[in-house]
Amino acid sequence: MAARAPFATGRARAPRRARGRSLLGEALAERLKAAALDVADDGIVISDATRPDAPIVYVSPSFERLVGYSAREILGTNCRMVQGPGTDLDTVRQIAIALSGGHVFQGEILNYRKDGTPFWNFLRIAPIRDETGKVTHYVGTQTDVTELHQARERQQELTTAVAHASRVRTVAALGASLAHEVNQPLAAVLANAEAALRLLESGKTGDVREALESIVADARRAGEIILRARRLVRNQPAQAEAVSPAQVASEVLAFVGTRVRHAGVKATLEGARSRACVRIDPVQLYQALLNLVVNAIEAMEAEPGHHPRGLAVRVEAIGERVRLRVADTGPGATDEDLARMFQTFHTTKSRGTGLGLLVTRSLVEAYGGRLEVARNAGRGLTFTIHLPGESR
Ligand SMILES: Cc1cc2nc3c(=O)[nH]c(=O)nc-3n(C[C@H](O)[C@H](O)[C@H](O)COP(=O)(O)O)c2cc1C
Ligand SMILES: Nc1ncnc2c1ncn2[C@@H]1O[C@H](COP(=O)(O)OP(=O)(O)OP(=O)(O)O)[C@@H](O)[C@H]1O
Ligand SMILES: [Mg+2]
């Protein structure tokens, strides 16, 4: 019984002749093939799968150029010679698994040239089988994608920097109300401390405990407000973890509490007890929601006239997904406004940067989610963050 053919046709078949793909005579075809391999930018390596540790039996000139080793130095060795200290072991393991299963491997791996310089290698390894379906060789093609990688990293850094700048601007915009927010517990601390002193002087030491407990609670509150602001301003790498959107939503509303009161906005949170959970960097979810909430407040504040100002935040789990909605009763938007809103630097505010919605959207999309906006039936807009949920 013959071994299984590559595509499991049941019966082993002789491989199709390459002749069918060429109109050239054999000698010319050979010459052109050699020339093609010579000019190709991608490296090509063939190794013998039937011998222990699959030694290399062919390298193209382009591979020699890519890695800086001569064919003489490479032939007979294993390709892992181009791996080094920064090579991801997980990727190496994936290659080994693919090869032992007779599958194609395709992926990026950090490799090193003879002179030690690293480069990102977009590597593809495919098995070649004989007529019985047995793997006899592997063909590897290598493409230097270092520049692409660097461009991607720069893009990533830029996105992080923009997100950070946008956070700093949001905190700055809340600056006055944050100072006010911190001032309140500080004033309470002072009043209670003075009361405690008076109690001590008058010998009523029994009541001092209560005053001291209030002091502790208020000092803690002030500390938390500052901690939250610092968390937003600090530039730290994103780290995803299991996060409760309900908790983030209630913290965001607490953070803008003073601002909301000053603007005469009635804020509500629905689904505060929701047990929904998402995998995300908590600071980034905080930022995304804060952007939408601050936008809603600013939109209502900027509107002339005396419309009732309402801000409704709602957290809900819909099947596998989690939805966070921010609805306002502000001026809303025309179709044109809606089209412009997500454009870079588009703002209608004297101090706006026009990055908030863009950053919010990219943060949400980075976690497999999406951001939607719709006009309300009554006044205002509703922004919705959709995120994949995570079971606890
Ligand atoms: C034809 C062929 C080409 C390969 N080319 C590369 C390469 O360019 N860079 C690399 O890091 N690994 C390459 N490998 C993978 C390594 O040779 C080796 O299979 C891998 O490190 C996993 O095996 P190991 O765990 O025994 O090291 C190639 C493998 C084959 C079969
Ligand atoms: N809830 C809303 N109601 C009406 N218009 C809105 C609302 N949210 C955003 N907009 C409009 O979209 C524009 C862009 O918002 P975005 O958050 O991207 O930037 P910004 O708030 O102007 O500045 P910043 O970068 O500081 O957030 C706003 O200037 C505003 O005109
Ligand atoms: Mg904004």
Side-chain angles (χ1 to χ4, degrees):
M1 176 69 198
R4 261 162 32 119
F7 300 107
T9 50
R11 207 158 58 85
R13 259 199 280 155
R16 213 154 29 107
R17 288 254 113 143
R19 208 189 307 132
R21 302 205 201 108
S22 163
L23 296 172
L24 305 166
E26 211 145 300
L28 182 57
E30 282 310 313
R31 194 161 65 75
L32 288 179
K33 251 193 268 174
L37 290 180
D38 200 14
V39 297
D41 246 0
D42 297 348
I44 299 169
V45 173
I46 301 177
S47 68
D48 186 345
T50 62
R51 285 172 37 211
D53 207 30
I56 299 171
V57 292
Y58 169 82
V59 292
S60 65
S62 48
F63 186 75
E64 293 179 275
R65 284 196 295 274
L66 179 66
V67 296
Y69 291 99
S70 69
R72 216 159 18 90
E73 290 171 289
I74 316 171
L75 290 172
T77 67
N78 184 286
C79 249
R80 79 173 70 80
M81 66 181 296
V82 293
Q83 297 168 2
T87 305
D88 179 33
L89 291 179
D90 218 37
T91 311
V92 173
R93 207 168 314 130
Q94 281 171 28
I95 298 177
I97 292 171
L99 294 187
S100 68
H103 304 301
V104 170
F105 169 84
Q106 185 168 301
E108 285 179 19
I109 186 163
L110 188 68
N111 281 166
Y112 294 81
R113 289 180 234 280
K114 188 180 177 181
D115 66 6
T117 52
F119 68 98
W120 278 98
N121 181 355
F122 178 77
L123 175 65
R124 186 183 153 89
I125 310 171
I128 303 179
R129 297 166 193 270
D130 65 10
E131 51 281 354
T132 69
K134 181 169 161 263
V135 176
T136 60
H137 293 83
Y138 300 111
V139 183
T141 50
Q142 292 91 353
T143 314
D144 184 348
V145 290
T146 309
E147 274 180 28
L148 203 72
H149 230 267
Q150 283 166 347
R152 233 188 282 145
E153 262 169 27
R154 275 197 298 272
Q155 177 72 39
Q156 191 71 43
E157 280 166 18
L158 208 62
T159 309
T160 311
V162 169
H164 179 240
S166 172
R167 282 207 296 273
V168 173
R169 130 90 184 139
T170 310
V171 174
L174 291 169
S177 64
L178 284 183
H180 185 86
E181 192 105 358
V182 176
N183 241 351
Q184 276 180 331
L186 284 185
V189 164
L190 190 61
N192 276 309
E194 281 168 354
L197 279 176
R198 277 197 303 276
L199 288 169
L200 281 176
E201 275 161 17
S202 63
K204 292 188 195 154
T205 49
D207 297 335
V208 172
R209 185 182 181 86
E210 203 180 318
L212 287 178
E213 276 168 358
S214 299
I215 290 174
V216 169
D218 283 323
R220 213 169 255 155
R221 221 177 95 208
E224 273 165 17
I225 295 162
I226 290 171
L227 204 71
R228 269 188 218 130
R230 272 192 38 197
R231 224 170 32 146
L232 282 171
V233 173
R234 210 170 40 201
N235 202 2
Q236 57 193 11
Q239 213 163 15
E241 55 187 75
V243 175
S244 152
Q247 175 147 12
V248 171
S250 66
E251 277 187 33
V252 165
L253 285 180
F255 195 63
V256 295
T258 307
R259 181 73 188 272
V260 162
R261 279 192 299 279
H262 279 190
V265 171
K266 185 176 177 320
T268 56
L269 172 59
E270 216 181 292
R273 299 239 186 104
S274 162
R275 290 174 48 80
C277 188
V278 291
R279 177 152 289 274
I280 197 168
D281 176 288
V283 174
Q284 292 188 332
L285 181 58
Y286 199 100
Q287 173 177 10
L289 197 59
L290 186 62
N291 276 344
L292 299 181
V293 165
V294 169
N295 273 352
I297 300 169
E298 286 175 342
M300 292 188 284
E301 253 179 350
E303 208 183 10
H306 290 283
H307 306 288
R309 292 176 177 174
L311 170 71
V313 178
R314 190 160 60 180
V315 181
E316 44 193 357
I318 314 276
E320 305 268 279
R321 298 185 75 78
V322 174
R323 225 158 54 177
L324 277 118
R325 320 199 112 174
V326 177
D328 64 63
T329 59
T334 63
D335 284 344
E336 248 184 1
D337 292 335
L338 288 178
R340 267 201 302 252
M341 247 177 218
F342 288 88
Q343 282 170 9
T344 321
F345 303 129
H346 170 74
T347 181
T348 52
K349 303 164 193 173
S350 58
R351 290 212 190 154
T353 57
L355 289 173
L357 285 176
L358 209 68
V359 167
T360 302
R361 188 171 64 187
S362 71
L363 289 181
V364 169
E365 287 178 354
Y367 293 95
R370 92 198 126 80
L371 175 66
E372 269 175 7
V373 54
R375 270 190 291 262
N376 295 334
R379 299 179 49 79
L381 297 180
T382 296
F383 286 83
T384 310
I385 296 175
H386 298 262
L387 282 170
E390 168 157 297
S391 48
R392 289 210 210 221

